Amino acid sequence: MITIETIGQVAEHYDIAVVGAGPAGLAAASRAAELGLSVLLADENPAPGGQIYRAITTTPVTKRAVLGEDYWKGGALVDRLRPTNAAYAPGCTVWSVAPDEAGGFELGLSLGGQARLIAAGQVILATGAQERPFPIPGWTLPGVMTAGAAQIALKASGLVPSGRTVIAGCGPLLYLLAGQLAAAGANIVAVLDTTPRRNWLAAIAAFPGFLRSPYLAKGLKLMAAARGRLPFKTGVTALAAGGSDKLTGVTVTRGGASETIPCDALLLHQGVIPGINLANAAGCAQHFDTVQHCWTPTVDDWFASSIPGIAIAGDGAGIGGAESAALRGEIAALDAARRLGRLSEAERNEKAAPTQAELARSLRGRRFLDLLYRPAPQFLAPPADETIVCRCEEVTAGQIRDTARRLGVTGPNQMKAFLRCGMGPCQGRLCGPTVVELIAQERGVSAEETGYYRLRPPVKPVTLAELAALPPTDAAIKAVVR
Amino acid sequence: MFRLMHEAKPAEALGFTFDGRALTARAGDTVAAALLANGIQACRQTPVSGADRGPYCMMGVCFECLVVIDGVGNRQGCLVPLREGMRIETQAGRRHPDGG
């Protein structure tokens, strides 16, 4: 592993560029490098591991039990990359992926305030997941964060919330985080579970699969540990964060009655969804996954997207968890090697077979979790008109509903033109799913029919100075010289 | 709002300023984590209403932790490692034509 510190150290061309150094990206880069291919692994974060294994090589947490044994497994993924010749670029943002004239791809990179355009024969996007937006009144107040944010602060910096802490929402991470923060000494005054009781009816059909799942024992242990020790409140149907310029409490509704719990930190979680911005901007086809209830890039069995030469591995192509992400990265790398002519189809198939079998095992029981922890409709499309949906441009649910109704807006791109939702720096990452949900609900059509934002590069802000300093190509000069 | 957990690995202390105030945080922290560790919850005001915002996702997705670092605006505090002597400032709403 060659660690790249400045943009000048990045080569002009790589056989494979991998975007994201979480489990999928680390496994893909390792596998590709082991096959003798030249690999660039570019990652925005200062250290490898992605979010699930965040700061695995640098964490200040010394008590292993605080983060749990699953976390420490991430070290092996980094150890595997170390002896290879892969170039690893931390703190490096990939803001564009586009086809080049040579039949490969041109990637726009930014590192240390300088941009570069480089070429890669094959691209593997391993951009992972993000938390599903959880729009409730007051969720923009300082003091309200995602559960994942608190977990990152713990893993990367050894920080725990210092005041009265409330964790609210739905999904396995809720229990995991509650347990981790409690073990790290946080004062958790309530865990508010929004899992709809009727989800059990839908999920029960998938229960036999879950019985053979690697999640089962782990999940039961997590839940029992968290529930036994922490003040759980289930059947939560509404939440509102209160405070004028910062959070002072959360109002919770259960069984028709409301109470306000004073708190200093509110950590929200409503499951995770694929981070699709780079794939979408590159033009990869996507569809609405009705079980996981999110937009997902469309991939085949080898995790190839609709654009030949771009594969999407890991949770960025559908939520499967850390273990499956690494396996999917591995399989995507084998197929990329086949496309580059390094492996024959037969060799690829033979090498992939054991990993594919392991992948099938690792995904057992996932459907049960997806159905059980599907968010309640009121947390996908906020009923209170004053709830901010687009945090960047401060567009409310009421404005979006009203505009959809009165102007007959049929999709999020039109809505963007009218209200600016999705136009801020986050580029729809925190409002896209909610805007789609609200329009779909207002028009009585599906999310699939409503569509999603058409995103464009750069997918992350890059300064004009960086762009202006890029060396001009002949084509660019010809385009302006008459 | 956040404090260092007990039994955390020791780390070098780095000095930096936030809106002119001299503060310290641990080497290895990102700018956003350094602010949280110092009890700073709000690090920007929105360009639309001027409302206070603070770090929300800590993973580069939400852009709520935007700050001015050494004179450069719109930096994602959660992605920038803290360095000794960094001058960090609140990103105050929208830019005005007079440069304010």
Side-chain angles (χ1 to χ4, degrees), chain A residues 214 323-324 327 331 352-364:
Chain A
E323 211 172 302
S324 93
L327 300 169
I331 294 167
T355 313
Q356 285 166 324
E358 237 184 299
L359 177 63
R361 258 196 308 278
S362 82
L363 290 172
R364 266 187 215 149

Side-chain angles (χ1 to χ4, degrees), chain A residues 60 62-63 162 391 394 460, chain B residues 1 7 9 46 49 60 64:
Chain A
T62 52
K63 268 169 77 179
S162 54
R391 298 171 62 105
E394 294 176 85
K460 280 284 182 111
Chain B
M1 184 194 167
E7 300 171 34
K9 228 177 257 174
T46 64
S49 72
E64 292 290 12

Side-chain angles (χ1 to χ4, degrees), chain A residues 59-60 62-63 129 139-140 142 144 146 149 157-162 185 246 391 394 425-426 429-430 460-461, chain B residues 1-5 7-9 26 29 33 41 46 48-49 52-53 55-61 63-64 76 79:
Chain A
T59 183
T62 52
K63 268 169 77 179
W139 71 313
T140 51
V144 183
T146 66
S157 301
L159 294 174
V160 286
S162 54
K246 65 172 187 174
R391 298 171 62 105
E394 294 176 85
C426 99
R429 288 171 174 90
L430 271 283
K460 280 284 182 111
Chain B
M1 184 194 167
F2 278 81
R3 63 166 175 80
L4 191 64
M5 69 183 294
E7 300 171 34
K9 228 177 257 174
R26 289 157 52 90
D29 282 356
Q41 283 187 313
T46 64
V48 180
S49 72
D52 279 344
R53 293 283 173 85
Y56 180 72
C57 80
M58 294 295 276
M59 54 180 276
V61 171
F63 290 74
E64 292 290 12
Q76 289 186 274
L79 293 178

Side-chain angles (χ1 to χ4, degrees), chain A residues 14-31:
Chain A
Y14 292 89
D15 293 330
I16 299 186
V18 181
V19 185
L26 286 167
S30 298
R31 187 66 182 210

Side-chain angles (χ1 to χ4, degrees), chain A residues 183-209:
Chain A
N187 173 21
I188 297 169
V189 295
V191 182
L192 308 174
D193 194 333
T194 66
T195 311
R197 294 211 166 98
R198 64 178 176 282
N199 278 11
W200 281 100
L201 294 176
I204 209 77
F207 193 68

Side-chain angles (χ1 to χ4, degrees), chain A residues 177-267:
Chain A
L177 179 77
Q180 288 174 331
L181 288 183
N187 173 21
I188 297 169
V189 295
V191 182
L192 308 174
D193 194 333
T194 66
T195 311
R197 294 211 166 98
R198 64 178 176 282
N199 278 11
W200 281 100
L201 294 176
I204 209 77
F207 193 68
F210 187 64
L211 284 175
R212 296 183 299 133
S213 146
Y215 298 107
L216 180 65
K218 222 184 282 179
L220 288 177
K221 215 170 112 191
L222 270 179
M223 230 190 243
R227 289 216 175 182
R229 284 182 294 145
L230 297 169
F232 260 83
K233 291 177 192 283
T234 58
V236 171
T237 55
L239 288 165
S244 53
D245 52 1
K246 65 172 187 174
L247 175 78
T248 54
V250 55
T251 301
V252 48
T253 307
R254 312 162 64 208
S258 294
E259 62 168 321
T260 297
I261 303 170
C263 61
D264 307 295
L266 172 61
L267 307 175

